[in-house]
Amino acid sequence: MVGKGVHASREVAMAAVEQSVYALRYAPREILEDRAVALSAVARSAAALKYLDKRFYADAEVMLCAAAQDYTHLRSAAPALCADRDFMLKVVETRGEALQFAEASMRDDRDLVLVAVAQYGHALEHASPRLQDDRGVVLAALRQNCRALRFAGEGLLRDRRFALTAVRYDWRALGSLDEEL
């Protein structure tokens, strides 16, 4: 029989996490509250988040590590993180689709949205209506994926000059443009 103190050892917990993050199910609270353990576990698998202390949902480094593996974990992130421009910029640099979890004002931040759509064109879907009508933002999304054009603002899709530019980037843009053009 293993003594209770063995489970509380950070060294033992880290060794167990190297085998499987599911070992955290058996870890005592002090291990689940240990930031070093949290970072190590989340680096191995973002699934470790569900076992760790909930305060790590507000820890930028832990959540960045989790989002790099699976951006959908941002659904559980502290609202303050999703409203933090620097945090969201780091996330969308590698996972543009994470823009959907950004606080509304972040989705109207042109520079942040440009980074997101350059990485993942369909992130345009989650941009503010103002930026869905922004020629530069939409063209950046189009360069990444021509199908992102379906998320462009109606006014832009009816603009003849924009249509010509879009088709020059990718002929498949024709499928999203106003038929009257």
Side-chain angles (χ1 to χ4, degrees):
M1 175 167 223
V2 177
K4 205 171 185 177
V6 172
H7 289 294
S9 162
R10 178 200 260 182
E11 184 180 12
V12 170
M14 297 286 258
V17 166
E18 283 180 27
Q19 293 287 314
S20 171
V21 296
Y22 300 108
L24 292 171
R25 287 185 285 196
Y26 307 106
R29 180 187 327 247
E30 58 268 17
I31 294 298
L32 300 176
E33 293 174 346
D34 186 301
R35 190 165 187 274
V37 171
L39 284 168
S40 176
V42 172
R44 182 157 173 73
S45 172
L49 276 173
K50 69 181 174 184
Y51 301 110
L52 298 169
D53 187 82
K54 299 302 176 216
R55 73 184 168 95
F56 292 117
Y57 288 111
D59 185 305
E61 191 176 359
V62 170
M63 291 309 293
L64 277 171
C65 188
Q69 295 175 44
D70 181 353
Y71 74 94
T72 64
H73 283 286
L74 291 179
R75 183 178 293 116
S76 303
L81 275 183
C82 294
D84 181 295
R85 186 179 191 281
D86 292 334
F87 174 78
M88 287 308 302
L89 192 56
K90 287 177 187 170
V91 173
V92 300
E93 282 175 350
T94 57
R95 300 305 297 257
E97 58 266 62
L99 182 63
Q100 66 187 288
F101 298 110
E103 191 266 334
S105 67
M106 296 289 105
R107 291 186 241 153
D108 194 47
D109 180 318
R110 188 173 193 275
D111 293 333
L112 184 106
V113 171
L114 275 169
V115 170
V117 299
Q119 200 285 320
Y120 181 73
H122 284 129
L124 183 61
E125 177 181 10
H126 304 289
S128 69
R130 179 181 76 84
L131 294 178
Q132 289 174 337
D133 264 327
D134 182 295
R135 182 180 304 270
V137 170
V138 174
L139 288 175
L142 173 65
R143 275 185 229 121
Q144 201 285 322
N145 185 329
C146 73
R147 292 187 176 109
L149 200 52
R150 68 181 180 201
F151 303 115
E154 290 295 319
L156 211 49
L157 295 176
R158 290 190 188 112
D159 181 292
R160 184 175 298 278
R161 215 174 73 215
F162 174 77
L164 185 58
T165 303
V167 170
R168 284 186 176 144
Y169 276 112
D170 193 317
W171 67 269
R172 293 173 292 185
L174 282 172
S176 298
L177 298 168
D178 190 291
E179 291 178 13
E180 308 257 332
L181 296 173

